[in-house]
Amino acid sequence: MHTSPLSRRTVLAGTAAAAALTATPALQGRTSAAEQPPSPTYRWRTAVIGGTGFVTGVLFHPTVRGLAYARTDIGGAYRWDDRTARWTPLTDHLGWDDWNLLGVEAVAVDPAHPARVYLALGAYSQSWAGNGAILRSEDRGATWARTDLTVKLGANEDGRGTGERLLVDPRDSDTLWLGTRHDGLLKSTDRGATWKAADTFPAAPNPTGQGVTLLVAAGRTLYAGWGDSDGTTASANLFRTADGTTWEPVPGQPAGTAAKVPVRAAYDRHTRELYVTYANAPGPNGQSDGSVHKLATATGKWTEVTPVKPGGTTQDGSADTFGYGGAAVDARRPGTVVVSTNNRWAAVDTLYRTTDGGRTWTSLKDSAVFDVSETPFLKWGEAAPKFGWWIQAVAVDPYDSEHLVYGTGATLYGTRDLRRWAPQIRGLEETAVRQLISPPTGEAHLISGLGDIGVMYHERLTASPSRGMATNPVFGSATGLAQAALRPSYVVRAGWGDHGNGAFSRDGGRTWAPFAAQPAIAKDAPGPIAANADGSVLLWSFVHWDGTKHPAHRSSDNGATWTEVPSFPKGATPVADPADPAVFYVYDTDAGTLLASTDGGRTFTARATGLPSGDSQFKMVAAPGRSGDLWLSAKWNGLYRSTDGGAGFSKIDSCWASYTLGFGKAADGADYPAIYQVGSTGTITAVHRSDDGAKTWVRINDDAHQWGWTGEVITGDPRIHGRVYLATNGRGIQYGEPV
């Protein structure tokens, strides 16, 4: 159940970000940041959930005990400190215009210079995404120098869990190699400052392929995996160079691997053997066959050492299909290697470990004992957690043979004894956040709707929710979350689920019950949902993951029966008036029209027309406690407000762009709620607060806390003035408070 929702999230997240950014006009004539009012000092932290995204790579430093780096597909890079047992985010400084760089294609370290680390950044290679970049650090990622590339990378595309595509040449620390997906192999001779094509690399660039899937050093020889073999015996998919100039196909490549992708490779320096995992697709999805082979680099002899061949059947008769993914060697014990299966849904993925060079293997899953008390959502509403899925990142600590970690589609597991496992994820938060509610009363100050892991009830912001994700039913990605303004104990949610797509709570989100019935379209196109002010009426809109819009439906009996609302614009987002239970609003982004209902959502009629149109990401919110007070964030078209229920709107002159807006507790002495906004008052897009009804704004984030694209949702805390919750597209929930 966690495959297709994740695929949806990763595609839609990038598309939404692209739509939000690619059409931004030039900033000529705008007020400079220096002309803005002075900003209050804010402390920013991440609300703790625990991972929740695809950890695509982990790299222990070979010469520094307790130092490691992790990369993610949309959530940036992190540095591990074994003394504190925490990950430190390294790319939060990347701002709005650099949203594409929160996808990390590869990490490289320099064994000879332990403070040096390099990142290859770029989430998408499509035309709407920007080019990739290289970040270079001399202080383990505390500060960075940047080189913008002329090519695109694909850290959130198929193949994102393959090996590191960035490598420091072991013969010369000034030389770096970068494998790209569509532009061949690149080389730098000035520590990543400039790059040019490695013209002697024999594989031809493919504009639609995988390109270089891995780079690894075996002594002084470099190996490069190639993901675009045509399947013939004459088409190599593994190349090598002994002198850094001349590349050649590795002789004697194993039979049956020509049509496969080299996924990962690891070198045992004691035995001088290179282990390579293969699969018939780059992954993380789509793999159904694979193998493991080793190359004796001194003699050129290949040996197949596949632990278990795919293609058998499980006890219930299901086909046991999978590929092989991660590969890691034990730097302290010759012949000790760990590999992972991937996309093994019937028998469940595992790690295989050998201590004799691959002659025999042990499945670590068979003896694994898990403790996920720190991140309870990993049970997925079941009695016990699974071993994992999308396992392509595997690493063995070079200073501790029994310290092994592996990444999944939702977390990073670690062990210190090869038997007991727990999430090794503190500090690493990768959630793509879609909805946020800060209730005015109750135990929790925050309820969140998330990509891939549904809805969370946050009793505390400093610990993963004790009950994990909302159950009954469990969702993959949440598509809607709403609270009845006059009855805050009533909350509804919608999303992608295997056992229902909508649910309600009568205790503020602590426990849930599924709707007794749902419209047929809900299974394939769950969308945003709203509850009127007293919770007596629900409006549910439907949007398929491919963007197809469907008619909205209404329920006045808590989801037991539903009727279609023909006058409601298909796929639009319903907004309930917070003071009048009879009133709903909807903004038709296609037509630029505000419609309203005064009969509890049965019918809608047009009010204001001629507003900005053509962008489904425009957002409308209602000010709390006031009837008819509406705010419209129309991106670079600006911010608009209506005080008469949408009959007319006025443009707000204090900002020129508004992407998302929310409300919090009013400042002392103020007669209007605090307004929080991701928008632009000057030359940059930032997080702002206004305590005077949007007459003036102050920036409340800083250059070190930007998190890429943040245009989804923002909300203040109705009980604590100054506290704000911000959704990110891969860095979880950020919350800020005045210092």
Side-chain angles (χ1 to χ4, degrees), residues 91-172:
T91 49
D92 283 356
H93 66 283
L94 294 169
W96 183 269
D97 292 336
D98 289 324
W99 65 270
N100 188 53
L101 301 185
L102 266 292
V104 185
E105 184 86 290
V107 181
V109 297
D110 185 345
H113 298 85
R116 291 180 185 170
V117 60
Y118 303 88
L119 304 178
L121 308 179
Y124 301 99
S125 62
Q126 282 77 16
S127 59
W128 42 259
N131 290 337
I134 300 294
L135 293 187
R136 318 181 310 275
S137 178
E138 300 281 344
D139 53 16
R140 301 185 183 182
T143 60
W144 298 96
R146 172 172 163 175
T147 294
D148 290 321
L149 299 172
T150 59
V151 303
K152 298 178 186 297
L153 305 180
N156 195 35
E157 298 178 352
D158 287 347
R160 58 193 181 275
T162 58
E164 302 303 330
R165 292 175 164 94
L166 186 64
L167 181 69
V168 176
D169 196 309
R171 295 161 302 207
D172 177 10

Side-chain angles (χ1 to χ4, degrees), residues 259-405:
K260 293 186 175 68
V261 176
V263 177
R264 294 265 179 167
Y267 180 63
D268 187 335
R269 60 184 175 85
H270 299 288
T271 64
R272 299 175 66 186
E273 292 173 321
L274 182 72
Y275 292 81
V276 185
T277 60
Y278 292 89
N280 62 339
N285 290 318
Q287 296 176 340
S288 59
D289 192 13
S291 57
V292 183
H293 301 260
K294 69 176 182 179
L295 169 67
T297 59
T299 64
K301 179 183 177 181
W302 284 92
T303 305
E304 182 172 0
V305 291
T306 305
V308 174
K309 291 180 182 279
T313 57
T314 61
Q315 290 183 347
D316 64 2
S318 301
D320 188 18
T321 60
F322 57 92
Y324 278 92
V329 298
D330 186 336
R332 302 170 65 86
R333 296 178 178 177
T336 299
V337 185
V338 180
V339 299
S340 71
T341 65
N342 188 65
N343 209 47
R344 193 181 194 182
W345 294 99
V348 183
D349 281 302
T350 187
L351 302 181
Y352 287 105
R353 182 173 182 263
T354 180
T355 58
D356 55 15
R359 288 189 293 274
T360 60
W361 296 85
T362 299
S363 171
L364 297 184
K365 178 182 67 176
D366 298 342
S367 59
V369 177
F370 281 92
D371 177 3
V372 297
S373 57
E374 191 167 308
T375 53
F377 78 89
L378 289 169
K379 292 184 179 180
W380 303 97
E382 300 175 359
K386 297 289 192 295
F387 194 81
W389 70 99
W390 285 17
I391 304 175
Q392 294 189 287
V394 179
V396 178
D397 188 335
Y399 289 88
D400 182 352
S401 295
E402 295 190 344
H403 181 199
L404 171 63
V405 296

Side-chain angles (χ1 to χ4, degrees), residues 672-686:
Y672 198 80
I675 308 175
Y676 299 91
Q677 175 186 227
V678 176
S680 302
T681 63
T683 59
I684 59 173
T685 299

Side-chain angles (χ1 to χ4, degrees), residues 385-452:
K386 297 289 192 295
F387 194 81
W389 70 99
W390 285 17
I391 304 175
Q392 294 189 287
V394 179
V396 178
D397 188 335
Y399 289 88
D400 182 352
S401 295
E402 295 190 344
H403 181 199
L404 171 63
V405 296
Y406 69 92
T408 76
T411 194
L412 186 73
Y413 282 117
T415 182
R416 299 282 181 166
D417 61 7
L418 302 181
R419 178 176 174 271
R420 292 171 295 178
W421 298 84
Q424 188 173 308
I425 204 73
R426 291 180 185 174
L428 197 161
E429 300 286 349
E430 201 201 346
T431 318
V433 185
R434 294 293 172 258
Q435 297 94 22
L436 294 173
I437 291 174
S438 185
T441 60
E443 174 189 28
H445 280 250
L446 184 66
I447 306 172
S448 60
L450 312 169
D452 302 329

Side-chain angles (χ1 to χ4, degrees), residues 65 93 168 170 178 247 386 448-449 463 470 474 478 493 575 657 665 714:
R65 181 186 292 271
H93 66 283
V168 176
L178 173 64
W247 289 84
K386 297 289 192 295
S448 60
V474 171
R493 60 186 174 98
V575 175
K665 184 179 181 181
I714 188 171

Side-chain angles (χ1 to χ4, degrees), residues 547-594:
T548 304
K549 302 174 182 179
H550 302 272
H553 284 67
R554 175 185 184 273
S555 175
S556 59
D557 53 13
N558 204 40
T561 60
W562 298 86
T563 56
E564 185 177 319
V565 184
S567 55
F568 188 97
K570 291 181 180 180
T573 299
V575 175
D577 189 282
D580 188 341
V583 178
F584 283 95
Y585 309 98
V586 60
Y587 186 68
D588 186 344
T589 58
D590 293 333
T593 299
L594 186 286

